[in-house]
Amino acid sequence: MTKILIAGASGYLGKYILEELNNWKIPAIALVRSPEKLKDLNLANIKIVQVEVTRPETLRGVFKDVETVISTVGFTRQNDGFTYMDIDYQANVNVLQEAERAGVRKFIYVSVLDGDILRHLKFTEAKERFVEALKASGLEYTIIRPNGFFPDLRDVLYMAEKGRVLLFGNGDSKLNPIHGADLAEVCIRAIAQKEKEIAVGGPDILTQNEIAEMALCAWNKPANIVELPGWIRSLILKTAKIFLPEQRFGPLEFFLTLMTRDRIATRYGTRRLQDFFNQEVQLIKQQSNQK
Ligand SMILES: NC(=O)c1ccc[n+]([C@@H]2O[C@H](COP(=O)([O-])OP(=O)(O)OC[C@H]3O[C@@H](n4cnc5c(N)ncnc54)[C@H](OP(=O)(O)O)[C@@H]3O)[C@@H](O)[C@H]2O)c1
């Protein structure tokens, strides 16, 4: 029977993809380096295989009868000595080469919205290099280009807890962030779709000011948004480039660059940012009550 293989299955998006495949009873293989990360999920229909995507020899034989690969492998918050090139590029190349060897039909890769335009940034450079390798491979492919994920807006929520949110510029730039469960549906639909690139975001197009207001509202705090001048942003970027390691500079550079431009992709899904913020606040309050 044909199968779907998920690389990066233990990550934020990977777990939602597994749950969706499991719910539909679609036979699937989950590649993980730490199987314990999936122990809280009920994945009766998923075969979990322990590998190291950075070590191609561990992938041998695992792709037998696989029809489509979905890779969400990416260097995000990990602190394990690897670089963007090691993971976003080389680890994905390792997965791609094994897919080619095994005769996989299609490869779906999750990059980032506007990654091709912003490829000069640390966060996107290696991803886009992999996109080129995938396009050159001859395999059928789809590149998913999602807008920001809800959890990446937690920093706004943490600022809001203190009663004030700092923004660069006038806070008018817009984006439509997306929930992992909605994005998982897009990834799975892509298995049977012909589109080579899918740019996608969540259902609501929000300004930075609206996101800040939602975060303050989740804490039941009045609107208190402070707009910082653009030169402070440039100064932070220049200083951070000198002093921060790559894995901390990359997301900061990406975040500060995106704050000043509109990022809108095709709207998809039903999950709302205000609900996510409200749930996160409940969790934070419960955790502090248990201490
Ligand atoms: N966050 C956003 O706003 C956003 C927006 C657009 C696109 N994206 C991109 O979408 C992709 C998926 O995002 P996500 O939030 O699901 O990321 P995530 O939670 O960090 O998951 C990344 C996956 O890659 C694996 N990985 C990373 N380093 C590894 C290593 N050294 N060895 C083996 N496996 C490794 C992780 O395994 P472990 O669980 O073992 O670490 C995990 O399964 C990423 O490429 C991300 O950059 C993110």
Side-chain angles (χ1 to χ4, degrees):
M1 199 175 195
T2 55
K3 293 183 209 133
I4 312 301
L5 180 143
I6 316 301
S10 53
Y12 168 72
L13 175 59
K15 286 192 209 168
Y16 281 111
I17 295 175
L18 289 186
E19 284 185 320
E20 189 70 10
L21 288 169
N22 189 65
N23 291 344
W24 286 99
K25 297 195 169 46
I26 298 172
I29 300 174
L31 297 193
V32 287
R33 59 174 165 174
S34 313
E36 68 276 7
K37 286 196 176 177
L38 301 181
K39 71 175 177 353
D40 294 333
L41 304 182
N42 177 14
L43 299 172
N45 304 306
I46 310 281
K47 180 178 171 193
I48 298 165
V49 180
Q50 188 171 15
V51 299
E52 291 285 349
V53 282
T54 48
R55 290 175 41 221
E57 69 278 10
T58 67
L59 302 173
R60 296 286 138 77
V62 173
F63 290 56
K64 189 169 177 301
D65 296 332
V66 169
E67 200 262 352
T68 297
V69 169
I70 303 177
S71 177
T72 69
V73 169
F75 182 61
T76 58
R77 293 162 288 273
Q78 293 80 9
N79 190 8
D80 46 16
F82 288 101
T83 64
Y84 286 107
M85 276 300 163
D86 293 334
I87 305 305
D88 289 343
Y89 176 68
Q90 190 58 53
N92 277 303
V93 164
N94 295 342
V95 176
L96 174 61
Q97 287 178 342
E98 196 54 38
E100 286 179 294
R101 197 171 290 125
V104 164
R105 175 186 68 90
K106 178 159 187 177
F107 198 110
I108 297 169
Y109 172 61
V110 180
S111 180
V112 62
L113 182 65
D114 293 342
D116 41 352
I117 302 164
L118 298 170
R119 62 174 305 159
H120 57 285
L121 302 180
K122 269 278 153 241
F123 189 76
T124 43
E125 186 188 7
K127 289 187 197 319
E128 292 307 310
R129 214 175 132 193
F130 176 70
V131 165
E132 278 167 13
L134 178 56
K135 287 181 176 175
S137 71
L139 251 64
E140 201 179 313
Y141 69 85
T142 298
I143 294 143
I144 311 272
R145 296 195 173 280
N147 215 330
F149 301 171
F150 284 1
D152 284 283
L153 295 167
R154 277 193 190 117
D155 287 339
V156 184
L157 201 59
Y158 300 148
M159 269 195 271
E161 184 177 8
K162 299 190 176 71
R164 191 179 64 168
V165 176
L166 307 178
L167 294 179
F168 292 102
N170 60 13
D172 279 350
S173 58
K174 299 186 186 87
L175 71 158
N176 57 329
I178 187 162
H179 191 285
D182 286 333
L183 183 55
E185 289 174 16
V186 176
C187 295
I188 291 168
R189 282 166 180 240
I191 296 169
Q193 287 171 334
K194 291 280 175 218
E195 281 97 328
K196 301 247 174 262
E197 306 226 359
I198 297 175
V200 65
D204 299 318
I205 296 172
L206 305 165
T207 64
Q208 303 274 349
N209 280 317
E210 286 168 335
I211 293 172
E213 282 166 17
M214 284 182 174
L216 288 158
C217 173
W219 289 107
N220 228 355
K221 307 245 176 184
N224 182 3
I225 300 167
V226 178
E227 293 169 4
L228 300 172
W231 65 264
I232 296 185
R233 185 182 141 273
S234 310
L235 184 68
I236 293 173
L237 272 175
K238 281 187 186 138
T239 319
K241 192 166 189 175
I242 299 167
F243 293 109
L244 286 186
E246 184 188 79
Q247 76 271 19
R248 291 192 49 213
F249 176 67
L252 181 72
E253 179 193 39
F254 189 64
F255 184 67
L256 291 183
T257 304
L258 298 188
M259 270 189 119
T260 55
R261 43 178 293 160
D262 286 343
R263 298 183 79 227
I264 300 167
T266 304
R267 296 157 71 190
Y268 183 86
T270 54
R271 278 94 176 169
R272 308 233 107 96
L273 185 63
Q274 184 70 69
D275 296 332
F276 174 79
F277 278 165
N278 293 346
Q279 284 155 11
E280 287 290 304
V281 167
Q282 289 315 314
L283 270 177
I284 295 169
K285 286 182 177 167
Q286 273 168 21
Q287 281 161 359
S288 73
N289 287 342
Q290 281 162 9
K291 278 182 193 161

